[in-house]
Amino acid sequence: MRRATTFPRSDVPWRWAVLGACIGGMLALVLFAPARWLTARVASATGGQVLLLDPRGTVWTGSAQFVLTGGPGSNDAATLPTRVDWHLWPSFTGFRLRLSSACCTPRPLAMTIGLGLGSTRVEVADATSRWPAAILTGLGTPWNTLQLEGDLDLRTQGLKLRWAAGRLQVDGRAELTAEGVASRLSTLRPMGSYRLTLTGGSVPGLQLTTLGGALQLTGSGQWVGSRLRFTGEASAAADRETALANLLNIIGRRNGARSIITIG
């Protein structure tokens, strides 16, 4: 009769149990990571100018109040009228993100975020959205003085952004149309409608045009490295100079009837 083999007592089963518990705990931590982890990362990446307050849910599926601020030490802040919802999925090269807010996105905005060695890529799906111009007030000077009113329609087409070695590369196109713009600096309401167009290429360009109205705005610029260099001018229709005088004094350097706008 063959003798049964017996194994000495050991703590191997215990070790497997502990290892399984640790792996399960790590998976739970990743899957149910609180939304505040993501909001802290957004605040850090934007220098405190974009805040996601009152976060709910997880890093992967959650919502928060979207706030623009002037950064650390600033008293300026503006909040979207409705919360922002997000859904985030990991991919082989980064993440896929879907954003929506009841006030502003008829359909969720989708984008792919790619993370490489020393580079970040963002590919934005073609979409349209509408945002309140008043949200810009939170960014501080000069927006807190202008206190713009109106709607900002954003449209993207084949938009791809890449940051690498301190340089911004752009493919595709984005249009921001400001309709029925008004400001507390002028009694004229509205002052006009405008379009700001970003076009990709070896040197990304920015073009400002007036669609209509008493306040005439024109300008163009380019991204050099990661910095924008923009030059434009503002002027008033002949019969509206008095109503727009305060605004023209604020938005640029006066040169006769014109106001010269320079960035970078």
Side-chain angles (χ1 to χ4, degrees), residues 178-241:
E179 298 183 350
V181 175
S183 168
R184 74 168 185 175
L185 295 179
S186 175
T187 57
L188 187 61
R189 294 174 177 270
M191 300 180 300
S193 297
Y194 312 92
R195 177 168 294 152
L196 192 64
T197 304
L198 170 67
T199 53
S202 57
V203 180
L206 198 64
Q207 193 75 28
L208 173 63
T209 56
T210 298
L211 301 179
L215 177 65
Q216 300 291 307
L217 298 176
T218 60
S220 62
Q222 294 179 332
W223 260 271
V224 180
S226 60
R227 299 189 62 178
L228 172 64
R229 295 181 179 176
F230 180 89
T231 302
E233 66 175 57
S235 61
D239 58 341
R240 298 295 187 179
E241 293 177 352

Side-chain angles (χ1 to χ4, degrees), residues 110-133:
M111 61 191 71
T112 301
I113 303 171
L115 304 176
L117 186 60
S119 67
T120 302
R121 303 183 313 278
V122 178
E123 182 175 346
V124 183
D126 294 355
T128 58
S129 55
R130 171 169 285 195
W131 309 87

Side-chain angles (χ1 to χ4, degrees), residues 80-141:
L80 276 183
T82 57
R83 295 175 66 87
V84 169
D85 299 281
W86 69 81
H87 296 275
L88 186 66
W89 300 272
S91 65
F92 289 109
T93 58
F95 299 93
R96 293 181 179 179
L97 176 63
R98 189 173 68 197
L99 295 172
S100 63
S101 187
C103 69
C104 309
T105 56
R107 288 183 293 180
L109 306 179
M111 61 191 71
T112 301
I113 303 171
L115 304 176
L117 186 60
S119 67
T120 302
R121 303 183 313 278
V122 178
E123 182 175 346
V124 183
D126 294 355
T128 58
S129 55
R130 171 169 285 195
W131 309 87
I135 190 71
L136 298 176
T137 302
L139 293 175
T141 306

Side-chain angles (χ1 to χ4, degrees), residues 14 28 36 99 119 133 138 152 164 171-174 200 243 247 253 260:
W14 256 121
R36 66 176 181 273
L99 295 172
S119 67
L152 303 176
D171 290 319
R173 180 184 180 94
L247 182 65
R253 175 178 52 84
I260 306 303

